[in-house]
Every structure is written in structure tokens, then in C-alpha cells.
Amino acid sequence: MKVTEHIQNADGKALFSFEILPPLKGQNIQCIFDTIDPLMEFNPPFIDVTYHREEYTYKDVGNGLLEKKVVKKRPGTVGICAAIQNKYKVDAVPHILCGGFTKEDTENFLIDLDFLGIDNVVALRGDAVKSEIYFKAEKNGHRYASELVTQISELNNGIYLDDELENSHTTNFCIGVGAYPEKHMEAPNFDTDLQFLKQKIDKGADYIVTQMFFDNAKFFDFVDKCRKSGIEVPIIPGLKPLTTKGQLNMIPHRFKVDLPDALVIEILKAKDNEAVKQIGIEWCIQQSKEIIAAEIPIVHYYSMGKSDTVKRVAKEVF
Ligand SMILES: Cc1cc2nc3c(=O)[nH]c(=O)nc-3n(C[C@H](O)[C@H](O)[C@H](O)COP(=O)(O)OP(=O)(O)OC[C@H]3O[C@@H](n4cnc5c(N)ncnc54)[C@H](O)[C@@H]3O)c2cc1C
């Protein structure tokens, strides 16, 4: 079932959903089940699975020489989605990127998803590879998520890259896209970013999932601006409970979001990470309750591969 149908059918009851990431190469599917099992009691209608592009590593091969290797540290997105649908009978939502994909790779990826009975995808550009500063599209790949949305929408209309194909099967993907209540880090300003978000919706995206945020006022303001600019699709807020003092610097650096004063002050006073976790959980519970009270029908949690804190939040909220 499509994410948008789950939201429509919720009938006033707030929905709980979450995102997991594939385990590091060398681990098995059981670690995914161990993350998901404790969260199943909150009846997630769907579970997102992130996609991780290749990275470059340099191996010392002696004589002052370095060998460049291309590695995918977290493969398995499609397999995990199939395993989730098979084991839990819950919709899995794979993320798909522009980065590292040619248009043909994208088409073949989508065909695999369609054959597996996966109805939803989140279409993202992806970041630059870790050793580079700026995002580079593949030769014959997509530069922006809006172009990826166009390709998925075309496949939904039976338009494949090979225009000689006749009577082609039409896929039926529900398409999610990412958005940034505090602006994407590369966007010159908020309004421009909003225009490009609107472009993704105009090209066929069905819903939006936001980057994590810690100040609900920013999210409500963002929703307001989206609605004023003519964006009518569901906007799913993404939340993450903080768990360590180190995240005070890591989260703003990596995700370009602000942490509110009141939260920072409490965390700085905490004597250890157990105390930080408690503060992070309580903050996230308050955020969730306020969002639900504002009649937002669903809250999405970034688990980062660990379910215990999300579970503690969900127990108080759902
Ligand atoms: C909910 C969510 C889930 C995510 N999941 C993953 C994941 O699984 N794997 C992963 O690697 N990353 C993931 N990311 C991170 C994401 O890939 C990065 O934030 C990336 O830098 C931007 O992706 P996007 O799809 O928002 O890009 P886009 O929508 O393409 O926007 C990227 C930048 O380009 C600008 N822009 C857009 N269109 C144009 C245009 N036509 N001309 C000029 N500028 C333009 C935008 O303003 C923005 O600054 C996720 C992000 C979110 C919010």
C-alpha cells in the first residue's frame, strides 16, 4: 500500500514510522530484525530503509603507493526491503539516490522494486562522496532529485528509457522526497530551496519527509510556507532523540540544523551520556506530542540503527 494511502486511512489516529539503515558489510539480516522487532508493537504502517552510495578508500600498498578502492560499506537496501515485507507484512520504503546511479541503473533498480511488490520510494539526490566537497552527477545520471522524480513518474506512465519498448508495464510507485525546514545546506536561501521543493512535487512527488529538526516552531513555519507556495502533499516530520553530548556539534555540522538553547543548556549540564539520552528522549516526546496535537497525522523517527531510544519515545506518544 502507498504511504499516502496509509496517511489517508489513519482516520485521525497518529501514525508511527521510522527509518533504519543497512548494517555494515559483513553483518547479517538479524541485526535489522533486532532493530525492528522492539518497534513493531507501535504498528508502523511502513519502514524506510536508507541507501548508501559508494565511498573511496585508499590502501597503502607499500613503496609510498596508495591504491584507490571503491567500496560500499552499507549495501543491501533492496534485500532488506524484501525481507521486511516478507517477515513483517509491513510496507518497506527504499531510498533511491541520483548519486552513483546512471539513468539505466535507476530504471533497473526500480524494476527490481516493482517485481518485489514495493510500492513506495523516497527519491533523493544524495550527498557528495565522502572525499569530495561537491556533489557530482554520474555521466548519464541525474543532477537533482527532481530529475529522478521525473524518471520514476515516467515509469509510472510506462515510459522506459528505451522508447522502442511497446505496451510496457506501468509501475505504480508512490514517491516521497526530502525537505529541509531549516533550508538545505547548499541552497542560496530558504525561498529558492522552497521553489525547488515545489518543482519536485510538480514533477510527480506524492509526499515530503523532512530532515530532522529540534524546534517545532521551525517545522510549523515551514509547513505554513509550503502551503502558501501551493504545496499540498502530506509533509511528514522527521525527529531524532539526541543520545550523546558529542551530537551537540556533530548534528549541526552534518545536517546543518540548529539545536535550541533550552535543549543545549540541559545537555551541557548533563553529567554523562545516560543523562543526555534521558534529556533527548524527553525533548523528543514533547516535540512528538506537540506535533500530534497540531493534527499532523504521522511522525517519522530516525533510528540510526538503534531502536531503544525511539522505543522509549514511542511508548509515551503512541
Ligand atoms: C528524509 C531524508 C532522507 C534521506 N535519506 C538519505 C539516504 O537514504 N541516503 C543518502 O545518501 N542521503 C539521504 N538523505 C540526504 C540527502 O541525500 C542530502 O541531503 C542531499 O544533499 C540532498 O538531497 P535532496 O534529495 O534533498 O536534493 P535536491 O532536492 O536535488 O536538492 C539539492 C540541492 O540542490 C538545490 N536544487 C534543487 N533543484 C535545483 C535546480 N533545478 N537548480 C539549482 N539548484 C537546485 C536545492 O535547493 C538543494 O540545495 C536524506 C535526506 C532526507 C531529508
Side-chain angles (χ1 to χ4, degrees):
M1 200 159 120
K2 294 182 172 193
V3 165
T4 46
E5 290 168 337
H6 284 297
I7 294 174
Q8 272 157 22
N9 295 347
D11 209 17
K13 191 181 175 306
L15 300 175
F16 161 81
S17 79
F18 62 97
E19 169 185 300
I20 56 167
L21 55 161
L24 287 168
K25 193 182 268 187
Q27 298 187 23
N28 63 27
I29 190 76
Q30 191 55 44
C31 30
I32 290 296
F33 298 153
D34 291 344
T35 306
I36 296 176
D37 284 342
L39 300 174
M40 287 309 290
E41 67 177 279
F42 307 108
N43 299 317
F46 58 89
I47 299 170
D48 275 47
V49 184
T50 56
Y51 191 93
H52 298 257
R53 65 174 303 179
E54 73 287 358
E55 293 174 30
Y56 302 142
T57 60
Y58 293 88
K59 191 175 164 199
D60 189 343
V61 288
N63 298 329
L65 296 173
L66 293 174
E67 186 188 354
K68 181 175 170 183
K69 282 185 92 181
V70 182
V71 286
K72 259 195 185 165
K73 290 190 178 164
R74 293 183 184 273
T77 300
V78 177
I80 291 170
C81 287
I84 288 174
Q85 298 213 151
N86 186 36
K87 182 173 161 75
Y88 300 100
K89 313 292 176 230
V90 163
D91 284 303
V93 184
H95 293 188
I96 174 171
L97 305 180
C98 302
F101 281 72
T102 64
K103 288 177 192 167
E104 188 158 8
D105 294 335
T106 302
E107 185 170 276
N108 294 336
F109 188 90
L110 292 167
I111 289 170
D112 276 342
L113 299 182
D114 182 55
F115 286 176
L116 284 167
I118 290 170
D119 299 328
N120 303 282
V121 281
V122 175
L124 299 143
R125 188 196 69 177
D127 287 320
V129 279
K130 282 210 172 110
S131 48
E132 293 173 0
I133 300 174
Y134 297 109
F135 175 84
K136 275 194 217 126
E138 290 303 297
K139 192 161 175 263
N140 198 25
H142 297 301
R143 175 77 189 83
Y144 296 109
S146 54
E147 297 168 6
L148 178 54
V149 170
T150 300
Q151 184 176 4
I152 304 169
S153 298
E154 285 181 349
L155 215 60
N156 280 348
N157 287 308
I159 302 169
Y160 288 65
L161 295 172
D162 178 353
D163 55 14
E164 287 178 10
L165 286 182
E166 284 176 9
N167 301 320
S168 315
H169 167 68
T170 55
T171 57
N172 191 23
F173 289 110
C174 175
I175 309 169
V177 288
Y180 307 83
E182 299 176 52
K183 176 182 106 55
H184 183 258
M185 61 184 94
E186 294 163 30
N189 57 50
F190 183 88
D191 287 346
T192 314
D193 206 27
L194 192 62
Q195 278 171 31
F196 290 130
L197 175 61
K198 173 107 181 6
Q199 198 174 61
K200 293 193 273 195
I201 310 305
D202 293 343
K203 303 269 182 200
D206 299 291
Y207 71 100
I208 290 168
V209 190
T210 77
Q211 180 58 282
M212 64 182 76
F213 58 88
F214 297 86
D215 179 352
N216 282 354
K218 290 189 175 161
F219 171 71
F220 293 136
D221 187 46
F222 171 73
V223 173
D224 207 36
K225 287 180 169 145
C226 284
R227 300 304 181 220
K228 282 187 179 132
S229 76
I231 293 173
E232 288 171 356
V233 300
I235 302 176
I236 303 178
L239 298 183
K240 177 186 158 37
L242 289 183
T243 50
T244 65
K245 230 172 226 189
Q247 288 171 341
L248 281 187
N249 303 111
M250 188 282 275
I251 297 233
H253 177 69
R254 178 141 173 232
F255 300 105
K256 303 290 179 285
V257 296
D258 270 354
L259 302 178
D261 252 1
L263 176 61
V264 175
I265 290 166
E266 282 304 304
I267 290 180
L268 287 175
K269 279 196 281 185
K271 64 176 186 333
D272 55 23
N273 277 340
E274 204 36 55
V276 173
K277 202 189 248 190
Q278 193 53 39
I279 295 164
I281 288 169
E282 277 164 20
W283 188 271
C284 194
I285 290 170
Q286 291 317 318
Q287 276 195 279
S288 309
K289 286 185 172 168
E290 197 184 17
I291 286 170
I292 292 168
E295 295 181 5
I296 305 285
I298 178 163
V299 187
H300 186 71
Y301 295 91
Y302 292 103
S303 79
M304 305 280 196
K306 296 196 183 91
S307 49
D308 64 319
T309 44
V310 173
K311 179 172 176 155
R312 284 166 65 186
V313 172
K315 256 196 160 357
E316 298 299 320
V317 177
F318 296 93

